[in-house]
Amino acid sequence: MFFICIECYVDRQIDAVFEGGGIKGIAHLGAAQAFLDKGYSFRRVAGSSAGAMVAALLGAGYSGAEAFSAIKSISEDDVTKGSHLHHFLGKAVKTVLSYGLYGTQAFENIIASLLKEKGVVTFSDTKSEVKVAVADISEKRVFTFPDDLPFFGIDPKAFPVARAVAMSAAFPGFFEPFTLKDTEGRTHYLVDGGLMANLPLYIFNASPSLFGLKLGKSNQYNKINAFHGYITMLAETALDSEDLECSARALSRGARIFELPTEITDDNGQQKKVSTLEFSLTETERKALYTGGYNAVKGRI
């Protein structure tokens, strides 16, 4: 009698697309670890905003658990420090002059440092193929980096991955936009990819080996008392949008989309919905997000 292991013939290399969602993106790292623990490997990865960061870390060779350990203590101050103009001129003047409360250099430096630990600087260095969605508000279109970099006269293989991630996460109003000149000399303002494609499934051809990882949404009422709160809810509203047509097309071709929970038990034992820019989460609360993502995927693959 012969025993046939059906699972042995299943392609364990997958493509994964990660939705944007700020701090909630920690759940993606738990989901990624669940795939790895089940014997899957990432052939190609893509994402917008926080999803772009996750894709970059996985593409560099981090496991979900390693990446979580590396970023679990990063605070809002870490991401926004070094914005000296903000301190001297004040938030209002800073925002008017540079179109954002904070610069992106500190965030880019954090990502660059993490990637360098794995020997990754440019897109040519990644272990798995990495794609990042970036919104161009000058032409109201979405670019996929590194593929679309020749539009700006830039060699795709020589572009820093960390810079592309920072572009994809530059939410308008909170972070300053990036600018690039195209080959005709026109200036383009580049911002958070999630504004136009928060779950950019279009990047890869839909197939049974394609997985989309989206983050749970919240429709609860939120009282807005200050500008920071306004920016937070603006981010929530923009990034909660979904291209239903793109998702339906991917599903019809065999792709699978998993929704990861973003409701956790806080340090006081209360249930709470995590918001996009809630960088004040404790390490215990961040661990709860990670574990929720892990469990949501582990039981479905």
Side-chain angles (χ1 to χ4, degrees):
M1 180 180 292
F2 294 94
F3 175 75
I4 300 177
C5 176
I6 299 298
E7 193 174 63
C8 294
Y9 295 93
V10 176
D11 184 4
R12 310 300 280 180
Q13 286 195 317
I14 61 173
D15 300 328
V17 178
F18 300 93
E19 185 179 45
I23 195 69
K24 294 185 291 186
I26 288 174
H28 287 319
L29 299 176
Q33 189 60 46
F35 278 112
L36 294 172
D37 286 350
K38 285 284 190 174
Y40 290 90
S41 62
F42 295 104
R43 176 176 50 211
R44 300 183 298 178
V45 285
S48 287
S49 198
M53 180 186 72
V54 171
L57 294 174
L58 296 174
Y62 280 90
S63 68
E66 283 181 308
F68 175 69
S69 179
I71 71 167
K72 65 182 180 181
S73 60
I74 294 175
S75 67
E76 183 173 344
D77 286 341
D78 294 326
V79 172
T80 60
K81 69 181 178 182
S83 298
H84 299 299
L85 190 60
H86 160 262
H87 295 297
F88 285 108
L89 299 181
K91 292 182 179 180
V93 176
K94 168 71 166 58
T95 303
V96 170
L97 291 179
S98 57
Y99 306 134
L101 283 172
Y102 305 106
T104 55
Q105 193 60 58
F107 176 63
E108 182 179 336
N109 289 346
I110 290 170
I111 302 304
S113 178
L114 292 173
L115 295 179
K116 195 170 183 180
E117 289 289 325
K118 296 291 185 178
V120 171
V121 177
T122 68
F123 280 96
S124 64
D125 300 323
T126 60
K127 280 69 173 177
S128 302
E129 190 174 343
V130 176
K131 308 287 186 184
V132 171
V134 177
D136 174 14
I137 60 174
S138 299
E139 285 195 355
K140 292 182 287 187
R141 61 180 287 189
V142 61
F143 285 110
T144 300
F145 286 173
D147 301 26
D148 293 328
L149 284 167
F151 180 81
F152 300 100
I154 298 173
D155 179 359
K157 294 182 179 180
F159 198 76
V161 179
R163 184 156 304 156
V165 170
M167 288 178 173
S168 185
F171 188 79
F174 191 79
F175 285 121
E176 298 171 9
F178 281 80
T179 58
L180 287 178
K181 288 186 182 294
D182 63 26
T183 53
E184 296 181 9
R186 300 174 302 181
T187 299
H188 294 254
Y189 284 80
L190 306 173
V191 299
D192 197 314
L195 291 182
M196 301 190 72
N198 204 28
L199 183 63
L201 290 165
Y202 72 87
I203 290 177
F204 301 134
N205 291 327
S207 72
S209 64
L210 174 62
F211 289 82
L213 287 303
K214 60 184 295 186
L215 299 165
K217 307 296 187 289
S218 172
N219 294 320
Q220 67 186 22
Y221 173 78
N222 293 276
K223 188 175 182 179
I224 299 173
N225 293 316
F227 183 74
H228 191 281
Y230 167 76
I231 289 293
T232 297
M233 293 319 302
L234 184 62
E236 289 282 328
T237 302
L239 300 182
D240 275 0
S241 63
E242 180 182 355
D243 187 340
L244 297 177
E245 183 179 349
C246 181
S247 296
R249 186 164 56 249
L251 288 169
S252 71
R253 296 175 182 173
R256 300 174 70 181
I257 298 177
F258 296 158
E259 182 169 324
L260 311 180
T262 55
E263 182 173 338
I264 63 169
T265 301
D266 65 20
D267 287 349
N268 297 316
Q270 303 296 313
Q271 290 296 112
K272 65 178 288 185
K273 287 278 189 180
V274 177
S275 64
T276 299
L277 301 179
E278 197 170 351
F279 294 104
S280 60
L281 290 181
T282 66
E283 287 193 23
T284 301
E285 292 168 337
R286 294 178 186 212
K287 180 66 174 180
L289 268 178
Y290 174 90
T291 302
Y294 183 92
N295 291 335
V297 169
K298 182 182 179 182
R300 298 184 63 182
I301 57 175

